[in-house]
Amino acid sequence: MPAQVTPEDRACIQFALFVTIGLGPEDDIIVARDGQHYFWEAELVKLEPSGSPQDAVVVTLAQMMKLHLHGFGFAELRDDLVRSGVGEQFAKRVHDHLESVSVEEWERLRERIVWYSDDNVAPIIGSTKVKGES
């Protein structure tokens, strides 16, 4: 069984997808409990950061969003990315995406964390009890 990620991770991945793909809150993306898949337009999509530059930006941006929620500044995060060896251009792209997120969007991200927190991790299955006469 794949490892499950936190509600904060799922919300950050969702919002990183919004920012990177250029979608808005009216678009329906749900990040799966494993944090590696998301549902969009009735399709299950797998994030593959090692094989897709866009997915690499999504995953990195989500991690940076999470760190920002914990008090790290944008410039500090950019410098950390550069020091990690991802390259100046990639770090600048992530930094620019972070700066483009509005105050209202950060608030919606916090609300989405609460929304994902309500996921009780119970299996999503139908009832097997027989009701009525058969």
Side-chain angles (χ1 to χ4, degrees):
M1 176 175 212
Q4 295 188 357
V5 296
T6 68
E8 190 175 48
D9 291 323
R10 291 171 72 188
C12 288
I13 291 167
Q14 179 180 353
F15 272 69
L17 284 162
F18 286 161
V19 171
T20 306
I21 299 173
L23 302 174
E26 69 282 353
D27 293 296
D28 197 22
I29 289 180
I30 306 294
V31 177
R33 293 172 180 158
D34 67 3
Q36 297 175 6
H37 294 84
Y38 62 95
F39 300 92
W40 182 36
E41 296 183 341
E43 193 174 324
L44 180 64
V45 181
K46 182 174 183 174
L47 283 169
E48 299 191 43
S50 62
S52 164
Q54 180 172 310
D55 287 356
V57 170
V58 168
V59 171
T60 304
L61 182 58
Q63 292 169 343
M64 297 299 105
M65 292 175 103
K66 183 175 177 180
L67 289 171
H68 179 67
L69 288 172
H70 290 275
F72 291 87
F74 297 140
E76 184 180 5
L77 293 171
R78 183 196 161 285
D79 292 345
D80 286 349
L81 280 174
V82 170
R83 280 193 297 276
S84 76
V86 299
E88 183 80 29
Q89 186 176 10
F90 184 81
K92 183 176 177 0
R93 183 175 178 193
V94 170
H95 176 267
D96 291 348
H97 280 311
L98 282 172
E99 282 195 328
S100 73
V101 178
S102 71
V103 172
E104 293 80 15
E105 290 170 314
W106 285 108
E107 186 55 36
R108 280 199 307 272
L109 171 58
R110 288 178 180 88
E111 291 169 2
R112 197 59 169 186
I113 292 168
V114 172
W115 187 85
Y116 277 116
S117 296
D118 288 339
D119 183 352
N120 65 12
V121 193
I124 303 170
I125 57 173
S127 172
T128 57
K129 291 183 178 180
V130 177
K131 294 184 179 187
E133 295 182 36
S134 47

